[in-house]
Amino acid sequence: MSVILGIDIGGSGIKGAPVDTETGKLVAERYRIPTPEGARPDAVKDVVGELVRHFGHQGPVGVTFPGIVQHGKTLSAANVDQDWIGLDADALFTEATGRDVTLINDADAAGLAEAKFGAGAGVAGVVLTLTFGTGIGSALIHDGVLVPNTELGHLWLKGDREAETWASDRARERDDLNWKQWAKRASTYLQHLELLFSPDLFIIGGGVSKKADKWQPHLKPERTPLVPAALQNEAGIVGAAMMAGQRAQGQDH
């Protein structure tokens, strides 16, 4: 059994658990600490260190980040402090924890976990996971291989607006939409993605995945099957651990 600690940095909470990366199961109860006000790098670094100490974890650690992650650097910061932009966050967390840390975009982590252990397990071809929450995260996976940092929530829709400002769960709450009204917007977005990527499966994750019975009858792509995410809130933790495991294996060879 290969156990790796996965940590998921979110807008309201930072949560972690050790994961058996061969089964995708958590091997201890998830532990959550509220995200520090403003989510500044030093404050978030301290929480990640606290989570590592809480579990007494000795091996590699995977950490998700709500923004673009390239070669260990955080290149965007939509819902966290602007000091993250251009920061070598891999090095920051590795120094804070004394462990080998691998950073991954939060939606990419969720998509990887769903493709291997969740709603996309055994599905060949192109699987597109979308996380609807504060924004819209995306993970594009082809035959189990991730194309990182797709950021498809920032596609332009309806002329002058980004998809996530119009069709996210936050937009549903802001505009006081019922689930059927929201699903009409989200369907427009999915149909646009179909034209661009012709996916074999859509997986719908994020906060809305817990309420699938409310929107699933109304969410209608043109031709692509659609399923709710299976791992829900654990997907980011599992995907982060998977990515750290892959990196550790690569260094072993």
Side-chain angles (χ1 to χ4, degrees):
M1 182 169 75
S2 180
V3 175
I4 290 177
L5 183 63
I7 295 174
D8 190 14
I9 297 173
S12 60
I14 300 174
K15 50 195 187 290
V19 178
D20 180 346
T21 55
E22 291 168 20
T23 64
K25 302 285 187 213
L26 307 192
V27 297
E29 191 173 343
R30 196 176 65 180
Y31 185 59
R32 181 184 185 277
I33 299 171
T35 304
E37 188 72 33
R40 291 182 55 80
D42 279 350
V44 171
K45 172 192 80 172
D46 291 344
V47 173
V48 169
E50 191 180 333
L51 282 164
V52 172
R53 289 190 295 276
H54 171 81
F55 289 107
H57 183 74
Q58 297 300 318
V61 179
V63 178
T64 77
F65 180 77
I68 297 168
V69 177
Q70 195 166 25
H71 309 304
K73 290 188 175 174
T74 45
L75 302 184
S76 70
N79 299 301
V80 291
D81 190 84
Q82 296 300 297
D83 284 351
W84 288 99
I85 297 173
L87 188 69
D88 188 344
D90 255 12
L92 179 82
F93 290 132
T94 295
E95 185 185 354
T97 62
R99 305 288 176 267
D100 190 10
V101 173
T102 300
L103 207 64
I104 178 175
N105 169 268
D106 55 352
D108 283 347
L112 269 179
E114 287 291 339
K116 180 81 183 284
F117 300 114
V123 178
V126 176
V127 176
L128 187 48
T129 297
L130 300 163
T131 57
F132 289 86
T134 307
I136 300 174
S138 60
L140 183 65
I141 291 177
H142 179 246
D143 288 343
V145 178
L146 173 71
V147 180
N149 294 312
T150 46
E151 295 291 318
L152 299 178
H154 297 298
L155 281 174
W156 292 95
L157 274 185
K158 310 286 285 183
D160 63 345
R161 53 165 72 110
E162 282 188 328
E164 70 175 17
T165 63
W166 184 66
S168 64
D169 196 34
R170 177 192 267 177
R172 177 186 67 80
E173 293 173 352
R174 180 195 68 216
D175 295 343
D176 200 21
L177 304 176
N178 64 35
W179 285 105
K180 190 172 182 181
Q181 290 168 322
W182 172 79
K184 189 173 181 187
R185 290 188 182 186
S187 296
T188 300
Y189 174 54
L190 293 182
Q191 288 164 15
H192 186 53
L193 289 172
E194 280 182 303
L195 285 172
L196 298 175
F197 297 101
S198 296
D200 294 285
L201 179 69
F202 280 122
I203 299 175
I204 306 299
V208 303
S209 61
K210 290 174 279 194
K211 310 241 180 79
D213 57 317
K214 304 254 198 275
W215 50 257
Q216 200 167 4
H218 309 297
L219 201 52
K220 295 191 167 64
E222 291 283 343
R223 59 185 186 274
T224 307
L226 175 149
V227 292
L231 300 175
Q232 296 183 355
N233 273 340
E234 292 179 359
I237 292 172
V238 174
M242 287 170 63
M243 198 59 145
Q246 288 174 13
R247 182 169 165 188
Q249 281 180 330
Q251 289 170 347
D252 289 344
H253 292 321

